[in-house]
Amino acid sequence: MGEPGIVIVGAGFAGIGMAIKLKQAGYHDFVVLEKGDDLGGTWRDNTYPGCACDVPSHLYSYSFELNPDWSRMFAPQEEIWEYLRGCASRYGVLPHIRYGARVASMEYDERALRWRVELDGGGVLKPRAVVSGIGALHVPSYPDVPGRDAFRGTAFHSARWDHSADLAGKRIAVIGTGASAAQFVPRIAPLAGHLTVFQRTPPWVQAKPDFAFSPAARRALRLPGAARALRWLIYAAMESRALGFTVHPSLMKAHERMARRHLESQVADPELRRALTPDYTIGCKRVIISSDYYPALTRENVSLVTGGVKEIRQRSVVDASGTEHEADVIIYGTGFKVTEALQELDIVGRGGVKLREAWRDGIEAYLGVTTTGFPNLFFLLGPNTGLGHNSVVLMIESQVHYVMECLRLLSRTRATALDVRPEAQREFNRKLHARLDPLVWNAGGCSSWYLDEHGVNRTIWPGFTFEYWARTRKVKPGDYELIR
Ligand SMILES: Cc1cc2nc3c(=O)[nH]c(=O)nc-3n(C[C@H](O)[C@H](O)[C@H](O)COP(=O)(O)OP(=O)(O)OC[C@H]3O[C@@H](n4cnc5c(N)ncnc54)[C@H](O)[C@@H]3O)c2cc1C
């Protein structure tokens, strides 16, 4: 087999979406390199009890592959995983995927105008273009707490759930209160002997309008246009939330009132309520969507410890006040290394410049997709294209379209590669960060994984999704150097 024209790294929503669109456009000389042994990314890795999306499934799916058969408003993990596998199969992408193929490094060969993609274990591919779909919420993050390795019981991260661990009757310590913990705590609380939840900062929580679709509702959704109409309705409702996020934090007040009412209706104990009330503007951190998290915390066998964790010992977790809590099991619900996942990539571009060097002050790209000095390298869900208010699949689809437009520009102009001009990237990012500065993620009074170690927001798109959609419709040739 000859060299593939295009390498896609990662077989999650992004990589599979890219592969489908390539296939539909008549490109067949591409390969998807996936380090895991199955596709699905997030939805393959996160198998913890209660794992589900928190954007309604009719929107958290590809626009070109609606699924009238979602069992619930917020489908569980297995169903989303199955959906992705079904898409890959239906669109003929499966033969293009190589499993167990971890990309270890990439280097641009300026003479051959090809990337040299090296795999763990030695294989090398030399494509013209590379599309990274490696995901942002992918590398588990553990808290930097002394003694973590000393623990003698069972310990695992929510994204690497240990299904062999017997939780029945055990003293379980859950560290972290983010989106994953809010989903698995209600599921494991009834099993535990005692469950201690260690909270550093309380999240804002809104009720989850979840329900199962009846067989009749699913039949109705199969009628022409019905699933599409529901998707639009959900989209409009979700996108209206962007007003508070992208215009001014004061517009978040209504959301905050709703979340406060939710807390008051579910937690009667004033002390617990106080401990669960955030002191920052809603939206600054990811808002949790859950109707069963607070009730789980009010159970007899569950306690909430505030202030975080100071130390881990052989059989216990020590809280910030120095109190020791004995534990048989520790579950880390401490999220992911978000910006590091991209930063740690071992990529060398033009002039031998390392991506890590180019990004020493922080990750940045043009429209989140291309970065100067790295021709024909495209990022899906790259810097500043995550969302706080809506489905990231919308962003992925816009980016996939943009990459296709770049490929079309290359074939139209008979160029081999394109490299974004530094001034275009600089100007884009100057405006982006000026917009982000007064917004809730930066000015909401919290620290979150949206910000990098310097406190700069490198993850979030500060506008509406339709604005991003409009800006990724066409490639402006003037923004790129075309290399022949
Ligand atoms: C529990 C959970 C729930 C979520 N719920 C929502 C939601 O409701 N709505 C929403 O919008 N978003 C949600 N997200 C965000 C979610 O990550 C994205 O929606 C989406 O799944 C990202 O897809 P992706 O393809 O970009 O990345 P991923 O799904 O992470 O896939 C990346 C793939 O790349 C592979 N890979 C990585 N590095 C390499 C390498 N070097 N070589 C080869 N392969 C590699 C990985 O193995 C993986 O399969 C959720 C995230 C989590 C963790």
Side-chain angles (χ1 to χ4, degrees):
M1 195 182 105
E3 288 298 339
I6 301 168
V7 158
I8 300 171
V9 190
F13 254 113
I16 297 297
M18 186 74 237
I20 291 173
K21 288 295 155 186
L22 281 173
K23 202 90 192 141
Q24 284 181 325
Y27 291 81
H28 301 291
D29 65 335
F30 67 90
V31 56
V32 184
L33 302 176
E34 168 53 58
K35 70 176 178 174
D37 56 8
D38 204 338
L39 60 88
T42 292
W43 304 102
R44 173 202 64 214
D45 290 346
N46 290 271
T47 60
Y48 60 76
C51 183
C53 50
D54 56 13
V55 166
S57 297
H58 282 275
L59 186 59
Y60 187 65
S61 40
Y62 296 123
S63 63
F64 54 83
E65 187 62 32
L66 303 188
N67 173 19
D69 281 323
W70 290 116
S71 66
R72 311 188 60 82
M73 195 62 170
F74 298 85
Q77 168 259 337
E78 312 89 74
E79 212 176 315
I80 305 172
W81 191 16
E82 200 45 53
Y83 166 82
L84 272 173
R85 282 198 292 230
C87 291
S89 162
R90 250 188 312 287
Y91 288 90
V93 163
L94 291 177
H96 293 266
I97 307 179
R98 268 171 66 179
Y99 294 111
R102 194 187 89 87
V103 172
S105 64
M106 296 195 279
E107 182 160 3
Y108 195 63
D109 179 341
E110 286 184 77
R111 294 225 333 252
L113 299 183
R114 284 185 177 269
W115 281 95
R116 184 187 153 81
V117 177
E118 252 182 76
L119 301 180
D120 256 0
V124 173
L125 289 97
K126 295 178 180 167
R128 290 253 179 245
V130 177
V131 183
S132 159
I134 65 161
L137 305 182
H138 169 64
V139 184
S141 163
Y142 293 87
D144 190 13
V145 177
R148 203 162 61 74
D149 296 332
F151 186 66
R152 289 282 179 80
T154 306
F156 53 89
H157 191 278
S158 60
R160 302 284 181 271
W161 196 269
D162 180 353
H163 290 277
S164 70
D166 179 14
L167 302 178
K170 297 282 162 46
R171 294 166 302 181
I172 306 172
V174 169
I175 301 181
T177 53
S180 299
Q183 290 186 335
F184 69 74
V185 161
R187 297 298 179 100
I188 62 171
L191 304 174
H194 192 86
L195 180 67
T196 311
V197 177
F198 292 85
Q199 167 189 284
R200 195 172 53 184
T201 319
W204 283 104
V205 181
Q206 290 186 324
K208 186 171 188 174
D210 195 16
F211 56 86
F213 288 104
S214 65
R218 284 193 249 165
R219 270 196 306 278
L221 283 166
R222 265 184 233 127
L223 294 173
R228 179 79 50 201
L230 177 60
R231 183 178 169 98
W232 273 108
L233 259 166
I234 298 169
Y235 175 74
M238 302 287 293
E239 197 61 6
S240 69
R241 304 196 313 158
L243 274 174
F245 283 99
T246 64
V247 178
H248 197 272
S250 60
L251 296 172
M252 298 301 282
K253 282 279 174 267
H255 294 287
E256 207 163 293
R257 271 196 301 277
M258 260 158 50
R260 260 182 220 284
R261 271 204 297 275
H262 181 54
L263 172 62
E264 284 158 16
S265 71
Q266 293 202 315
V267 178
D269 174 6
E271 207 173 308
L272 182 59
R273 221 188 250 180
R274 207 168 315 116
L276 288 169
T277 305
D279 63 357
Y280 57 86
T281 310
I282 191 169
C284 182
K285 277 176 179 296
R286 191 169 178 85
V287 180
I288 306 296
I289 309 293
S290 173
S291 298
D292 53 8
Y293 177 58
Y294 286 149
L297 297 180
T298 63
R299 291 174 60 94
E300 286 273 293
N301 68 335
V302 176
S303 41
L304 180 76
V305 174
T306 57
V309 170
K310 191 160 103 183
E311 188 190 340
I312 292 172
R313 297 188 184 149
Q314 288 188 1
R315 306 239 160 251
S316 64
V317 177
V318 183
D319 69 23
S321 73
T323 308
E324 198 170 352
H325 304 262
E326 294 202 342
D328 308 308
V329 181
I330 298 179
I331 306 176
Y332 293 100
T334 38
F336 302 89
K337 294 184 177 181
V338 181
T339 53
E340 292 96 321
L342 275 175
Q343 237 155 359
E344 281 167 10
L345 290 177
D346 192 4
I347 301 180
V348 180
R350 290 170 100 177
V353 175
K354 291 197 162 100
L355 185 62
R356 223 175 279 150
E357 253 314 282
W359 281 354
R360 65 184 170 279
D361 296 328
I363 61 172
E364 70 164 46
Y366 177 67
L367 288 167
V369 180
T370 48
T371 195
T372 190
F374 298 83
N376 282 7
L377 172 60
F378 304 97
F379 294 98
L380 304 178
L381 282 192
N384 289 102
T385 59
L387 297 174
H389 71 284
N390 212 331
S391 164
V392 295
V393 179
L394 300 165
M395 301 299 274
I396 290 172
E397 285 197 44
S398 292
Q399 290 160 351
V400 166
H401 174 86
Y402 188 78
V403 176
M404 295 305 304
E405 287 293 301
C406 287
L407 297 177
R408 284 187 194 110
L409 175 68
L410 288 176
S411 67
R412 211 169 48 239
T413 57
R414 296 179 187 280
T416 311
L418 48 73
D419 190 5
V420 65
R421 294 188 185 279
E423 55 280 15
Q425 182 173 323
R426 237 186 342 261
E427 190 54 13
F428 172 80
N429 280 282
R430 189 187 61 74
K431 289 188 179 147
L432 177 118
H433 288 289
R435 257 177 99 173
L436 272 166
D437 271 345
L439 298 182
V440 65
W441 305 285
N442 291 30
C446 75
S447 68
S448 74
W449 56 259
Y450 295 142
L451 311 180
D452 70 7
E453 72 272 24
H454 309 294
V456 181
N457 193 326
R458 301 283 178 189
T459 54
I460 288 281
W461 170 247
F464 292 91
T465 56
F466 54 79
E467 180 194 343
Y468 189 77
W469 177 88
R471 292 181 72 171
T472 46
R473 282 305 83 191
K474 288 259 170 285
V475 180
K476 293 184 189 154
D479 288 339
Y480 286 91
E481 176 193 348
L482 295 176
I483 305 168
R484 293 191 167 82

